[in-house]
Every structure is written in structure tokens, then in C-alpha cells.
């Protein structure tokens, strides 16, 4: 057995300084050295393993197996989701129907500021609520590139748009997982997050427009940004507070899309903004000149077929996330969606392949990072059928005959997708491997425990812990599982309601998603910018830092001056 060590140097701040080295290596590699993502990831992994072995005295085999576990997790399910999503997108392009879809969106509004709100913010939030795991950014960024946005802008804007729904992503898994780990009702954490997130949700559409067209753009489009953000924020609050964490994203996104679509039937901006992908110049046309876009008219049947793959995607994802469907894959003794223990294995349980990393069974987490000693997760599962990527692939396979794509073309397109994504897949495997080395060695806990030493100031740092967790793991769920107990114990020591810090961990994490190495790699892969991760990272990092500082100040204000916001 090897117990994790959280203060290897005998001073929590000195230990935290050493624990920061791998993160510093990643930042320097991308921001200063401007290395490609896979080189930055490789250097970061090597530095993390060296520190884990020689500073934290983690046995070499356990450090390497931690990396292997994370790398495999990066390949399945994460990379699998992206491969399937890009394949589906490419099939619609090859069929010619994506042009019809694009023109149908332009028919709603030719203004690309509003298209970013509709697709990046509204549709992306729906996908985040349904699937999570980077799929929303991959799909929406690819759609926006198809609509004419420059790849870097499309990826960066979608990463920023993806902040508001992350806390309730994948049908509320980040919060329900944390609730189970800390033994606090999920509805309580959800309600607290529902009080904290709506201001951010309202702000994001305005901020997206500002990034594209400055204050002038905000002045011209503020009514539709208010409709999108306002309707989303209101439904997010109501569902999070009164329903729980499962529905806020899906319900908010659907209501927001409907409200924006209806609103645009009666209102359009005076000036139409388009982004020229060829030379990066912004061009504006008056409403009367918008006919110059030469939008072709298509039959209702053609428009329905163009949208049908994505409508099917929504339907299939809802099936894949349904409790009754998940229960089909639970083995005997496993936990059902109802919370009960399965007496018999589900009829499809054999399709879930399981591999036991025996060496990792001996890695033990200890207090104060956790409430009581427990081994880290060592069982690696490969759900062949009920993986989100498989659900997207099924939609892609249905799309082939539906849009009359030749079989040879479809096979060639899948090969093209794999070839274009090879470096991105390698990068994803590296950065997720780094996350597991950090978590399993205790490096991540060292950073969080050092911040917990700050007393009342921890109310400011609480969301920053979640931000660091998502940066390290690429997942709000993982961050909540990693630091949930720490947030709970620190809140009790300070005499502050624990649901505030638990929710703050998740809310802070949502703005860490836009700079997570995993998210950066996924976004670049989606828009064909593999190897350009440093450019995308430089685009998002400053906004991520500003956002998390704002959330930290808001959390501090709630803790000491606005306790009435705590449900």
C-alpha cells in the first residue's frame, strides 16, 4: 500500500509551489515557447511524473499506471466522442446538406453575432446538458466554421459560450456525483448553484458579441442577447432551485432557442455583421443589402433533411442518458439509476469491458483531502454500446443512407477524420494522463489544501480550487469528486454553510473549462487547428482568469455579506 502525501516538503506553501511546477510548464510551453499541444502535454506529463516519484515518493510503477489509466480514459470515452462528432459533421458536409442547414440559419438571421449566440450558446448548452465531455464544443465549433467563422474564433467563442451550462452538464452529473461523495442532497447544491450561475448565464451572450464586434456590436444586438441570456438564466434558476441538477441545461437551452427564434421574427439588428473567414476582416451590410448574401431558397423537405441528423442526435442522446437505458448495462451488484442495487445483471452488461489496474488498488487517499481513507479508482471500464460516442456514431450511420452518402465516401470520410485528428487524439491522451498523475499522486490535493490554510479568505479561493480542478482534469465532475470533501471540511471549520463552497467548486470550475488542456485539444481538433493549441490558449486564458476572480469575489460576498442568497 502507498498512502498519498500532501505536504512532502514539510511546509504546505513550499509543497504547493513545487506542485505548481507541472502547471507552470504547461503555461510556459503554450504561452512563451508556443509549442504544439502534444509537445506541451508531453513536457507537462514528464514533469508531473518526476515530481510524483522524487518529491511525493510515489512508486514509479504506480505513477506510470496512473498515466496509463488517464491516457486510456482520454481515448475512451473522450476522444471517441470527438471522432464520432466530427465524422457526423463531415458526412453532412459531404452530402451537401450542410450548406442547406447553414443557409436555413442565415435565413433566421444572417448576422453572425446572433448565429454565435444561437449555436455556440443556446445549442451548445443543450448538447452540454445532454452529453458533456467536450462533445458540445466539438459540434458547435465545427458548425460555426461551416457558417464562415475563422477556426480560431469559432473554437474560442464556443469554449467561452460553454461556461454557463457546465455545472449542470451531462444531465447534472457534476452535482449529483459530488452530492453522493459528500452525502449532501443534490437539490441543495443545485439550488445554491442556481443562485450563483444566472448572472454569468445572462452575461455570456453579451460578452460573446463584445469579443466579435466590441461595444458597437453590443449596442446593436443587446435586445437579442438579453432575450437569449435572460430566458436561459430565468429557466436555469427555476429548474436548478425547484427541480434539481438534471434539467437546467436542457430546459434552459430549449426555452432560449425558442425565445430567440420567435424574437427574430419581429426584430433584426439594423446592421448585419459577417466575419470574412478568408482575410479575417469584419464586414457590415445594411439590412437592405443583405440580399447580396444570395441565400438560396430550399424546399421544406430539404431543410428538414438537413436538420434531421442533429434532431436524431438529440433524440438518441436522450435515450442514451435515460435511466432505464443505462440500467441495461449494470452488472449484478451494481447501482441502478433508481439508487437500488441490481440483483441481476442487465441484458447488455456483457458489452461493458472491464480492466483492473491492480497496482492502483494500493494507492490510498487519506484525510484531510478525504473524509476517510479510500483507494483511488482502479477499475477501467469500456462501455462499447452505451458510450456517448457510440450514440453519435449510430446517428452518423443512419445519416449515410438518409442523406444518400455513398458507402465508399463514408468510409473514406471516417479515415479522413482519424487522419486529421491523430495528433489531437495523442494530445488528449497526454493531458488526461497528466490529470490522473496529478490526482493519484496527491499533487492536486496539495494545491487545494494550501489554499484551505487561508482562513476566511478561502471564501474567495473556494471557486479557484474548482477552477484548478477543472484545469487539471478537464471535467467539472472530476473536480467536484476530487475536491468536494475538502470544500465541505473547510466550510465546517470556518462555520460557513457547506453548500456554498460545494456549489462554488462547481461554479468556479465552469470557467476553468475554457483553458483546460483537454478542452483546448478538443476544440482545436474540431476546427482543424491541431498543433495550434497555444494560439487558442492565449485567446481564452485571460478571460478565464478574469471570470474566476469575479466568481471568487461573488462567493466571498455571499459568505459574509449576502447570506440570504444561500437557500
Amino acid at each position: 500500500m502507498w498512502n498519498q502525501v500532501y505536504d512532502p516538503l514539510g511546509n504546505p506553501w513550499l509543497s504547493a509551489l513545487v506542485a505548481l511546477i507541472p502547471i507552470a510548464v504547461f503555461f510556459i510551453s503554450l504561452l512563451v515557447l508556443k509549442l504544439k499541444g502534444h509537445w506541451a502535454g508531453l513536457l507537462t506529463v514528464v514533469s508531473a511524473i518526476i515530481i510524483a516519484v522524487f518529491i511525493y515518493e510515489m512508486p514509479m510503477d504506480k505513477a506510470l499506471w496512473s498515466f496509463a489509466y488517464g491516457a486510456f480514459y482520454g481515448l475512451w470515452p473522450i476522444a471517441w466522442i470527438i471522432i464520432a462528432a466530427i465524422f457526423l459533421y463531415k458526412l453532412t458536409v459531404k452530402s451537401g446538406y450542410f450548406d442547406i442547414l447553414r443557409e436555413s440559419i442565415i435565413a433566421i438571421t444572417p448576422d453572425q453575432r446572433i448565429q454565435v449566440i444561437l449555436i455556440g450558446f443556446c445549442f451548445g448548452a443543450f448538447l452540454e446538458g445532454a452529453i458533456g465531455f467536450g462533445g458540445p464544443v466539438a459540434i458547435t465549433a465545427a458548425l460555426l466554421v461551416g457558417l464562415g467563422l475563422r477556426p480560431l474564433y469559432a473554437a474560442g467563442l464556443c469554449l467561452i459560450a460553454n461556461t454557463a451550462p457546465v455545472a449542470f452538464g451531462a444531465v447534472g452529473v457534476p452535482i449529483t456525483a459530488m452530492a453522493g461523495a459528500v452525502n449532501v442532497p443534490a437539490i441543495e447544491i443545485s439550488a445554491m448553484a442556481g443562485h450563483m450561475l444566472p448572472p454569468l448565464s445572462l452575461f455570456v451572450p453579451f460578452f460573446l458579441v463584445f469579443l466579435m464586434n466590441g461595444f458597437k456590436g453590443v449596442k446593436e444586438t443587446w435586445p437579442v442577447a438579453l432575450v437569449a441570456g435572460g430566458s436561459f438564466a430565468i429557466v436555469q434558476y427555476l429548474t436548478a432551485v425547484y427541480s434539481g441538477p438534471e434539467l437546467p441545461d436542457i430546459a434552459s437551452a430549449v426555452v432560449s432557442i425558442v425565445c430567440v427564434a420567435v424574437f427574430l421574427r419581429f426584430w433584426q439588428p439594423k446592421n448585419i455583421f459577417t466575419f470574412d473567414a478568408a482575410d479575417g476582416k469584419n464586414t457590415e451590410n445594411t439590412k437592405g443589402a443583405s440580399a447580396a448574401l444570395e441565400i438560396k431558397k430550399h424546399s421544406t423537405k430539404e431543410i428538414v433533411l438537413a436538420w434531421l441528423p442533429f434532431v436524431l442526435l438529440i433524440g438518441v442522446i436522450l435515450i442514451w442518458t435515460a435511466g432505464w437505458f443505462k440500467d441495461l448495462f449494470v452488472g449484478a451488484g451494481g447501482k441502478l439509476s433508481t439508487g437500488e442495487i441490481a440483483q441481476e445483471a442487465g441484458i447488455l452488461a456483457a458489452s461493458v469491458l472491464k480492466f483492473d489496474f491492480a497496482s492502483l488498488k494500493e494507492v490510498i487517499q487519506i484525510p484531510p483531502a478525504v473524509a476517510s481513507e479510500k483507494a483511488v479508482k482502479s477499475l477501467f471500464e469500456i462501455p462499447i454500446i452505451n458510450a456517448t460516442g457510440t450514440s453519435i456514431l449510430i446517428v452518423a450511420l443512419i445519416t449515410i443512407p438518409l442523406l444518400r452518402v455513398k458507402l465508399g465516401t463514408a468510409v473514406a470520410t471516417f479515415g479522413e477524420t482519424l487522419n486529421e485528428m491523430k495528433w489531437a487524439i495523442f494530445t488528449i491522451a497526454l493531458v488526461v494522463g497528466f490529470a490522473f498523475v496529478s490526482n493519484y499522486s496527491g499533487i492536486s490535493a496539495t494545491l487545494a489544501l494550501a489554499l484551505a490554510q487561508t482562513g476566511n479568505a478561502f471564501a474567495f479561493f473556494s471557486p479557484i480550487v474548482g477552477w484548478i480542478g477543472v484545469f487539471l482534469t478537464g471535467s467539472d465532475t472530476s473536480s467536484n469528486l476530487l475536491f468536494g470533501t475538502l470544500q465541505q471540511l473547510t466550510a465546517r471549520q470556518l462555520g460557513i454553510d457547506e453548500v456554498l463552497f460545494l456549489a462554488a467548486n462547481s461554479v468556479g470550475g465552469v470557467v476553468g473549462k475554457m483553458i483546460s488542456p483537454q478542452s483546448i485539444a478538443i476544440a482545436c481538433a474540431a476546427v482543424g487547428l491541431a498543433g495550434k493549441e497555444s494560439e487558442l490558449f492565449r485567446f481564452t486564458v485571460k478571460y478565464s482568469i478574469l471570470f474566476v476572480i469575479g466568481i471568487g469575489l461573488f462567493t466571498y460576498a455571499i459568505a459574509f455579506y449576502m447570506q440570504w442568497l444561500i437557500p
Side-chain angles (χ1 to χ4, degrees), residues 168-530:
F168 300 108
V171 202
V173 168
I175 288 177
T176 54
M178 173 191 274
V182 299
N183 198 29
V184 173
I187 185 67
E188 294 184 11
I189 304 174
S190 174
M192 187 67 248
H195 283 77
M196 299 177 72
L197 276 170
L200 179 65
S201 300
L202 177 63
F203 174 71
V204 166
F206 291 92
F207 189 62
L208 292 172
V209 172
F210 172 76
L211 291 178
M212 293 187 73
N213 197 213
F215 286 110
K216 181 178 184 295
V218 174
K219 183 178 179 181
E220 292 178 351
T221 63
W222 70 265
V224 72
L226 180 62
V227 169
S231 60
F232 189 98
I234 290 170
V235 178
Q236 184 183 57
Y237 169 81
L238 292 174
T239 50
V241 172
Y242 298 108
S243 174
E246 292 85 4
L247 289 179
D249 283 354
I250 294 174
S252 301
V254 169
V255 170
S256 186
I257 289 170
V258 171
C259 287
V260 170
V262 171
F263 182 73
L264 289 174
R265 292 180 65 89
F266 303 96
W267 180 92
Q268 289 283 344
K270 182 179 180 181
N271 295 316
I272 303 302
F273 175 96
T274 59
F275 192 84
D276 190 329
D279 57 16
K281 293 181 180 178
N282 296 337
T283 59
E284 292 181 12
N285 305 292
T286 63
K287 190 183 299 183
S290 63
L293 293 170
E294 299 181 356
I295 303 172
K296 297 178 182 178
K297 289 189 176 180
H298 299 282
S299 67
T300 302
K301 179 182 177 182
E302 288 177 321
I303 294 173
V304 169
L305 278 174
W307 279 99
L308 196 52
F310 297 96
V311 174
L312 287 173
L313 177 64
I314 292 169
V316 171
I317 286 171
L318 289 177
I319 292 173
W320 251 246
T321 54
W324 64 265
F325 185 78
K326 291 182 177 180
D327 290 346
L328 299 177
F329 303 89
V330 175
K335 192 174 182 181
L336 297 171
S337 60
T338 57
E340 300 174 356
I341 302 300
Q343 300 301 315
E344 298 180 359
I347 59 174
L348 296 176
S351 68
V352 180
L353 307 181
K354 299 181 180 181
F355 301 91
D356 198 356
F357 287 67
S359 179
L360 297 181
K361 289 182 177 179
E362 301 171 350
V363 177
I364 307 299
Q365 295 174 299
I366 61 173
V370 291
S372 58
E373 290 187 9
K374 63 177 182 178
V376 300
K377 187 176 181 180
S378 61
L379 184 67
F380 185 78
E381 297 181 341
I382 301 180
I384 300 297
I385 298 175
N386 64 322
T388 302
T390 304
S391 70
I392 301 173
L393 179 67
I394 288 173
V395 175
L397 295 176
I398 295 172
T399 298
I400 294 171
L402 188 68
L403 301 187
R404 297 181 181 178
V405 179
K406 293 181 179 178
L407 184 59
T409 301
V411 173
T413 301
F414 190 75
E416 179 185 304
T417 301
L418 292 176
N419 183 58
E420 289 179 0
M421 290 192 60
K422 57 181 181 292
W423 287 111
I425 293 170
F426 181 53
T427 302
I428 291 169
L430 286 171
V431 297
V432 180
F434 154 65
F436 274 75
V437 172
S438 296
N439 297 344
Y440 284 13
S441 66
I443 289 174
S444 300
T446 295
L447 294 169
L449 288 168
L451 291 176
Q453 303 283 324
T454 58
N456 285 345
F458 186 76
F460 170 77
F461 289 113
S462 175
I464 294 177
V465 171
W467 181 74
I468 292 172
V470 174
F471 173 82
L472 290 172
T473 66
S475 163
D476 203 42
T477 301
S478 298
S479 175
N480 287 347
L481 290 173
L482 185 64
F483 295 137
T485 300
L486 175 69
Q487 297 275 12
Q488 183 182 51
L489 295 176
T490 305
R492 290 174 178 175
Q493 290 172 6
L494 297 176
I496 296 173
D497 195 317
E498 61 190 34
V499 297
L500 174 61
F501 285 0
L502 293 171
N505 193 87
S506 196
V507 173
V510 305
V511 295
K513 195 76 177 280
M514 70 176 80
I515 60 167
S516 160
Q518 176 182 312
S519 298
I520 295 289
I522 289 170
C524 283
V527 298
L529 286 178

Side-chain angles (χ1 to χ4, degrees), residues 519-543:
S519 298
I520 295 289
I522 289 170
C524 283
V527 298
L529 286 178
K532 302 286 187 181
E533 289 83 4
S534 62
E535 294 181 26
L536 183 57
F537 186 76
R538 290 199 301 274
F539 180 85
T540 59
V541 65
K542 51 187 175 293
Y543 306 126

